[in-house]
């Protein structure tokens, strides 16, 4: 009986240390954080991002650039833009019957979580990206927790829905 409730929505994610060259594209839709320092991606583009997209990866998490903590989505052609209205109660169509073009994957920086590296640009406090994955709803929400100071340590910083109904969604 429990298996009958299985949604068949797979939320495939990838985690890498060095960001992909696509993290540095100035045309990206940047949300859920700040782009503070340069992206230190390889100068040679192996098109690994394209391979991830072809395999249906919905999010790529990266580190390395300690004070970047944003999420970015490559812009789709105008006909592909799918924005879910917060008040839209209509459930997303089943991933198996949805013929809309796919977006993504989202590219999200982790923020600086360790104590061995650099940080501190303009009061930047160490932080860690949290990924809330709900496989039944096919939903991924991400935000950051900060190490320091006052009430911010109790908040979800820059909360962002990046996948809903098993599909990558554009920022609102």
């Amino acid at each position: 009986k429990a298996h009958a409730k299985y949604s068949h929505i797979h939320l495939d994610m990838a985690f890498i240390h060095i960001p992909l060259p696509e993290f540095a594209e100035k045309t990206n839709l940047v949300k859920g954080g700040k782009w503070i320092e340069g992206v230190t991606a390889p100068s040679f583009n192996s098109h690994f991002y394209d391979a991830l997209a072809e395999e249906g990866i919905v999010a790529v998490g990266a580190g390395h650039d300690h004070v970047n903590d944003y999420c970015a989505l490559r812009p789709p052609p105008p006909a592909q833009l799918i924005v879910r209205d917060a008040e839209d109660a209509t459930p997303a169509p089943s991933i198996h019957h949805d013929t809309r073009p796919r977006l993504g994957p989202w590219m999200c920086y982790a923020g600086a979580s360790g104590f061995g590296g650099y940080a501190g640009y303009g009061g930047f406090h160490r932080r860690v990206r949290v990924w809330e994955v709900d496989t039944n709803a096919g939903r991924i929400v991400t935000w950051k927790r900060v190490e320091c100071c006052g009430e911010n340590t109790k908040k979800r910083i820059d909360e962002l829905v990046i996948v809903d109904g098993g599909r990558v969604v554009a920022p609102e």
Side-chain angles (χ1 to χ4, degrees), residues 5-77:
K5 295 179 183 177
Y6 176 53
S7 69
H8 298 278
I9 296 174
H10 298 159
L11 301 173
D12 300 322
M13 302 171 70
F15 295 92
I16 57 179
H17 180 74
I18 305 296
L20 301 170
E22 289 80 2
F23 274 72
E25 293 176 357
K26 299 293 184 196
T27 57
N28 285 340
L29 305 168
V30 175
K31 287 288 194 181
K34 294 184 177 137
W35 186 338
I36 298 174
E37 67 177 316
V39 174
T40 53
S43 58
F44 174 77
N45 190 337
S46 68
H47 298 282
F48 186 48
Y49 178 93
D50 297 329
L52 295 171
E54 286 175 22
E55 292 301 319
I57 304 298
V58 296
V60 179
H64 195 64
D65 301 325
H66 296 203
V67 294
N68 286 338
D69 69 349
Y70 63 86
C71 287
L73 185 64
R74 293 177 93 184

Side-chain angles (χ1 to χ4, degrees), residues 15-169:
F15 295 92
I16 57 179
H17 180 74
I18 305 296
L20 301 170
E22 289 80 2
F23 274 72
E25 293 176 357
K26 299 293 184 196
T27 57
N28 285 340
L29 305 168
V30 175
K31 287 288 194 181
K34 294 184 177 137
W35 186 338
I36 298 174
E37 67 177 316
V39 174
T40 53
S43 58
F44 174 77
N45 190 337
S46 68
H47 298 282
F48 186 48
Y49 178 93
D50 297 329
L52 295 171
E54 286 175 22
E55 292 301 319
I57 304 298
V58 296
V60 179
H64 195 64
D65 301 325
H66 296 203
V67 294
N68 286 338
D69 69 349
Y70 63 86
C71 287
L73 185 64
R74 293 177 93 184
Q80 288 185 7
L81 190 58
I82 303 163
V83 178
R84 302 249 332 172
D85 183 37
E87 296 176 13
D88 181 7
T90 307
S94 165
I95 195 167
H96 299 293
H97 298 75
D98 195 342
T99 59
R100 296 176 294 175
R102 292 195 171 277
L103 300 174
W106 274 96
M107 300 171 279
C108 295
Y109 272 109
S113 59
F115 289 99
Y118 66 91
Y121 289 100
F124 185 90
H125 297 289
R126 299 205 182 275
R127 62 203 60 219
V128 64
R129 180 167 296 283
V130 177
W131 303 86
E132 181 180 299
V133 179
D134 181 340
T135 56
N136 288 327
R139 186 176 174 96
I140 299 176
V141 180
T142 186
W143 69 90
K144 294 169 300 264
R145 290 278 189 206
V146 294
E147 166 202 31
C148 176
C149 298
E151 290 299 309
N152 280 342
T153 62
K154 300 173 186 170
K155 293 180 182 174
R156 293 178 172 206
I157 307 297
D158 296 323
E159 188 169 349
L160 184 63
V161 175
I162 61 171
V163 178
D164 196 14
R167 297 193 61 91
V168 171
V169 293

